[in-house]
């Protein structure tokens, strides 16, 4: 049991790493500078084993405890930034126009590095900790690639834990719940195929713009009329493109959107029914559709035993009331879900204070949260792997 004061010193150092990473954001799998920064820091802590180049720029590092043999648990941080022009006006703003750490992965990486520094110095646990630094959380399924490259078996990881900062939640507070905590993510594209022609003679055409309008309205009823009201499903049309001129009825219209749900079975429902509605409407008006549906992140599902362990670890660090153990799930997706499909584990939210929201140009990770994140990791390791 270690209170927050234990982590102030390492957090001060972690804030320097965090600001360096914030100034030097990289995207997706292109994390060459970030990954070498992380690997250099890890090497300076006398880590037992470092492996780089997993899923291109991912890293797994092992720390052996001094409490004897035991299992290996995985702690995961994401390292990638976003294609956004920063407007935080902080002295440590991004030096690369059009790229910024707008999701706080600079903070996540620094907190796991801080925990690594603390754990290599103390080693007050049995078994082994596997630090997982992953690329491409935002748009590339980096967690899935690390799993596909076999990290769970290769490093003997038996449980996995993740953490994400939460703007709007007070610094020093945590939120978690057993079961679904983040939504599944699927994207779809519908190309409406009509027959183009002169806008003054619509009767000689099959107008894909009118068909697209009907399809968009039709999709709204899949949730309101087709889904159990007690289950969660979102179908949002987010893109609509058609036409080039005032006087031409175009050949095609394109509709794109996203599906989010907390119930894995509703992903199949959404896929088949979006196609059925789009096809039925288009054919009814003499057109047709091409349909593409991409399965992306699964539902993020916390496991009971590991969730309870995470709650206890957080309550070793802060007042019990500062850990909300029944937080409402979010429909936002998180690719850590792929790791939770492979191994039991838990994903926790960490208060980031009253900052701008995630993915907003004015967002900045709150350095005051660093000791809480580092302290959570350390308490979790000592709780999960007790001597
Ligand atoms: Zn994000
Ligand atoms: Zn994120």
């Amino acid at each position: 049991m270690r209170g927050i004061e234990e982590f102030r010193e390492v957090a001060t150092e972690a804030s320097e790493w965090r600001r360096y990473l914030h100034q030097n954001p990289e995207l997706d799998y292109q994390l060459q500078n970030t990954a070498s920064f992380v690997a250099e820091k890890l090497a300076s802590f006398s880590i037992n084993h470092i492996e780089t180049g997993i899923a291109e720029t991912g890293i797994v590092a092992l720390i052996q405890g001094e409490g004897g043999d035991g299992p290996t648990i995985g702690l995961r941080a994401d390292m990638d930034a976003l294609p956004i022009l920063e407007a935080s006006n902080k002295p440590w703003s991004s030096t690369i126009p059009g790229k910024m750490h707008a999701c706080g992965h600079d903070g996540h990486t620094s907190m796991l590095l801080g925990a690594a520094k603390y754990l290599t110095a103390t080693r007050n646990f049995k078994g082994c900790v596997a630090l997982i630094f992953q690329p491409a959380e935002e748009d590339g399924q980096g967690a899935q690639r690390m799993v596909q490259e076999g990290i769970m078996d290769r490093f003997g990881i038996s449980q996995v834990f993740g953490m994400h900062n939460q703007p709007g939640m007070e610094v020093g507070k945590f939120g978690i719940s057993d079961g679904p905590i983040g939504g599944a993510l699927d994207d779809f594209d519908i190309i409406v195929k009509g027959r183009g022609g002169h806008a003054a003679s619509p009767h000689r055409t099959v107008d894909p713009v009118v068909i697209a309008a009907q399809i968009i309205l039709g999709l709204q009823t899949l949730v309101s009329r087709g889904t159990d009201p007690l289950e969660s499903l979102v179908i949002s049309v987010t893109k609509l493109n058609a036409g080039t001129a005032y006087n031409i009825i175009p050949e095609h219209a394109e509709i794109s959107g996203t599906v989010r749900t907390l119930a894995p079975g509703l992903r199949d429902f959404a896929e088949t029914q979006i196609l059925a509605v789009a096809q039925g409407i288009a054919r009814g008006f003499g057109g047709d559709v091409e349909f593409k549906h991409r399965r992306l992140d699964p539902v993020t599902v916390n496991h009971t035993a590991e969730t309870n362990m995470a709650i206890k670890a957080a309550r070793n660090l802060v007042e019990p009331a500062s850990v909300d153990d029944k937080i409402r799930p979010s429909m936002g997706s998180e690719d850590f879900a792929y790791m939770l499909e492979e191994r039991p584990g838990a994903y926790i939210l960490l208060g980031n204070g009253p900052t701008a929201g995630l993915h907003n140009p004015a967002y900045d990770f709150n350095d005051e949260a660093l000791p809480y994140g580092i302290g959570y990791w350390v308490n979790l390791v000592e709780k999960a792997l007790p001597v």
Side-chain angles (χ1 to χ4, degrees), residues 82 103 105 137-138 164 358-359:
L82 284 157
C103 206
H105 299 182
E137 192 286 322
E138 294 291 357
H164 206 292
L358 300 174
H359 296 205

Side-chain angles (χ1 to χ4, degrees), residues 164-235:
H164 206 292
N165 76 94
Q166 177 86 334
M169 186 191 287
E170 256 176 75
V171 170
K173 299 218 159 152
F174 291 86
I176 190 168
S177 58
D178 189 15
I181 187 162
L185 159 63
D186 298 324
D187 287 343
F188 64 87
D189 297 292
I190 300 165
I191 298 172
V192 179
K193 299 191 289 186
R195 189 171 66 248
H198 201 293
S201 306
H203 58 293
R204 297 192 212 283
T205 73
V206 173
D207 186 347
V209 176
V210 173
I211 296 173
Q214 301 274 356
I215 289 173
I216 292 167
L217 291 177
L219 294 181
Q220 306 310 308
T221 64
L222 290 181
V223 174
S224 68
R225 302 292 86 181
T227 309
D228 182 336
L230 297 181
E231 297 210 83
S232 326
L233 177 65
V234 176
I235 298 175

Side-chain angles (χ1 to χ4, degrees), residues 281-301:
I281 290 172
R283 287 182 180 170
F285 288 101
D288 208 344
V289 294
E290 259 174 49
F291 181 65
K292 272 187 244 146
H293 188 271
R294 275 178 307 280
R295 291 280 168 124
L296 300 167
D297 298 344
V299 181
T300 304
V301 183

Side-chain angles (χ1 to χ4, degrees), residues 81-211:
L82 284 157
I84 296 175
L85 182 64
E86 179 156 2
S88 76
N89 293 319
K90 294 283 162 64
W92 50 86
S93 282
S94 170
T95 57
I96 305 171
K99 296 182 188 176
M100 78 170 282
H101 272 291
C103 206
H105 299 182
D106 49 344
H108 303 166
T109 300
S110 303
M111 290 190 290
L112 194 55
L113 282 174
K117 176 155 190 180
Y118 195 98
L119 289 167
T120 46
T122 51
R123 296 183 191 263
N124 184 34
F125 56 95
K126 68 180 179 192
C128 188
V129 174
L131 311 164
I132 304 168
F133 293 91
Q134 76 152 82
E137 192 286 322
E138 294 291 357
D139 192 21
Q141 280 71 50
Q144 184 185 37
R145 267 193 64 186
M146 289 191 91
V147 166
Q148 283 166 347
E149 293 190 15
I151 60 165
M152 297 300 171
D153 290 336
R154 202 135 54 88
F155 299 101
I157 297 167
S158 56
Q159 293 167 307
V160 284
F161 295 90
M163 173 161 45
H164 206 292
N165 76 94
Q166 177 86 334
M169 186 191 287
E170 256 176 75
V171 170
K173 299 218 159 152
F174 291 86
I176 190 168
S177 58
D178 189 15
I181 187 162
L185 159 63
D186 298 324
D187 287 343
F188 64 87
D189 297 292
I190 300 165
I191 298 172
V192 179
K193 299 191 289 186
R195 189 171 66 248
H198 201 293
S201 306
H203 58 293
R204 297 192 212 283
T205 73
V206 173
D207 186 347
V209 176
V210 173
I211 296 173

